[in-house]
Amino acid sequence: MKKIVKTTGWIFLILLLLAIGYSIYVYQSSPWIKALANNDESQLFYRPSTTMEDMGGLAYDEHILKVEDSLKIHSYTFKPTATSKANIFLIRGNSGNVSTGIEPIQALVNNGFSVYTVDWRGYGKSTGAPNYNGILADTQAAFEDFQNTMVNDSTKTIVYGMSLGGQLAVKIAKDNPAKVDALVLDGSLASAHNFIKDNVEGSVLSLLMKKPEDYNQEYIALRDIADIENMPKLIIHSKSDRAVPFKRGQSIFDAAQEPKEFWETDTEHIRTLQDLTKEAIEKMEALIQ
């Protein structure tokens, strides 16, 4: 009996040591898991690329914005050949840079919209490293430049936020109601906390999650959109979205005030402008009429 107990004890100890060793290996070999445990925003939320690709043959103007003295942020303006239907302040998702996300810009410009967009710190040619408050500062600086370089009384302004950029789009629209004529959200995050929760729910990684208040919550789409009055809103979310669950888009829509429209699609994450171009353009034209 004693031998069985002793053997069982050794087996348990060996298994425990193996489990600890494997956990350490996974932690050290996975930057995302390490970022989750340490709440490292720069690794947890952002996937920037510094390699600039071809801009799809589109002509553009490049702007260099100085943010926080030491940082230089690059933004880009694309204009159609004919008179612009509206000026769009486009806020990107968390991966790549402006050049790697040129397809939605092409769809807008080729259908008569002017587009202004920005590469946050650490993206494309922009210096620095992304973090939650930093990309807000970059977006605010870009919106000010957008106002100074593109906006006039006769052309309406649409703020268009994609994925992680949706939270920033809500923040910009909320803070500048007199300067924004319409808001479009495409596959938007509801909050930073919910984004992490959706990625780890049902797994042992959920044990590494911090409390909601431990995530930087200065701007939350689900909360802030309720404060936007009298602004037309188009909220797009795909029922097939694997990056941001459909329920998040529905919850943002439910929290928004009228006038609003919910467009349920069936594409991959933030593929609306590329895959449903005609319908998207028609809905945006109706939004500003």
Side-chain angles (χ1 to χ4, degrees), residues 32 38 92 94 126 143 189-191 202 207 222 245 251:
W32 195 86
N38 297 325
R92 57 169 302 100
N94 73 336
S126 299
F143 186 72
L189 272 62
S191 74
L207 298 175
L222 183 61
S251 67

Side-chain angles (χ1 to χ4, degrees), residues 53-236:
E53 300 180 3
D54 179 73
M55 291 286 201
L58 293 177
Y60 61 89
D61 293 324
E62 187 171 350
H63 316 251
I64 300 178
L65 313 176
K66 290 186 178 181
V67 182
E68 300 171 11
D69 296 328
S70 61
L71 294 180
K72 292 183 178 179
I73 306 303
H74 289 246
S75 64
Y76 303 84
T77 300
F78 304 84
K79 293 186 177 180
T81 54
T83 302
S84 179
K85 297 175 181 177
N87 292 322
I88 296 180
F89 186 72
L90 181 67
I91 311 177
R92 57 169 302 100
N94 73 336
S95 298
N97 57 49
V98 167
S99 68
T100 63
I102 200 67
E103 284 185 288
I105 297 173
Q106 284 179 307
L108 291 168
V109 173
N110 291 342
N111 283 278
F113 291 92
S114 297
V115 177
Y116 182 110
T117 191
V118 62
D119 267 337
W120 299 311
R121 58 191 67 192
Y123 285 74
K125 300 178 184 179
S126 299
T127 59
N131 59 72
Y132 212 65
N133 283 334
I135 66 167
L136 173 60
D138 300 343
T139 304
Q140 290 171 328
F143 186 72
E144 183 177 345
D145 184 60
F146 166 77
Q147 290 287 314
N148 292 334
T149 59
M150 291 187 70
V151 172
N152 58 58
D153 293 336
S154 61
T155 306
K156 292 189 175 182
T157 291
I158 299 173
V159 173
Y160 194 122
M162 306 170 69
S163 192
L164 185 140
Q167 285 215 95
L168 293 152
V170 173
K171 174 69 172 171
I172 291 294
K174 174 188 173 184
D175 291 349
N176 301 274
K179 299 176 181 179
V180 179
D181 295 296
L183 173 66
V184 180
L185 301 179
D186 190 349
S188 175
L189 272 62
S191 74
H193 178 261
N194 282 340
F195 177 68
I196 300 302
K197 181 180 178 181
D198 291 335
N199 278 275
V200 302
E201 199 166 27
S203 76
V204 70
L205 294 179
S206 61
L207 298 175
L208 298 177
M209 276 198 71
K210 309 301 182 183
K211 297 177 181 178
E213 58 269 22
D214 291 329
Y215 291 92
N216 202 320
Q217 300 280 289
E218 182 177 338
Y219 48 100
I220 302 175
L222 183 61
R223 177 195 66 199
D224 296 341
I225 199 164
D227 296 328
I228 302 175
E229 302 177 347
N230 304 318
M231 184 185 297
K233 308 165 194 71
L234 174 61
I235 298 170
I236 309 165

Side-chain angles (χ1 to χ4, degrees), residues 224-265:
D224 296 341
I225 199 164
D227 296 328
I228 302 175
E229 302 177 347
N230 304 318
M231 184 185 297
K233 308 165 194 71
L234 174 61
I235 298 170
I236 309 165
H237 217 102
S238 172
K239 61 185 179 182
S240 302
D241 196 326
R242 294 185 178 182
V244 182
F246 180 77
K247 64 181 180 181
R248 300 305 181 194
Q250 186 68 62
S251 67
I252 294 172
F253 175 77
D254 291 342
Q257 296 190 44
E258 296 285 356
K260 61 183 180 178
E261 178 185 354
F262 188 77
W263 182 17
E264 177 184 324
T265 61

